[in-house]
Amino acid sequence: MIAHADHVIDLGPGAGSAGGQVVFSGTPADLAEQRDSVTGRFLADALVSP
């Protein structure tokens, strides 16, 4: 679902009390290039998988 979005806002850097900050805002392709983002790493894997 994220891969098909026009714009992504990634909150983190963790869950619960470790989250709540905007760590990324942009396109799914740009997020996939953010290797320091957990969401970005998973998205990158999903974008290259058939």
Side-chain angles (χ1 to χ4, degrees):
M1 183 179 286
I2 295 171
H4 298 286
D6 292 327
H7 192 88
V8 178
I9 298 172
D10 190 15
L11 300 174
S17 62
Q21 302 294 320
V22 175
V23 295
F24 175 83
S25 178
T27 67
D30 288 341
L31 177 55
E33 294 177 5
Q34 302 298 314
R35 302 310 271 174
D36 58 334
S37 165
V38 174
T39 306
R41 289 192 303 268
F42 280 101
L43 184 57
D45 291 342
L47 290 176
V48 296
S49 297

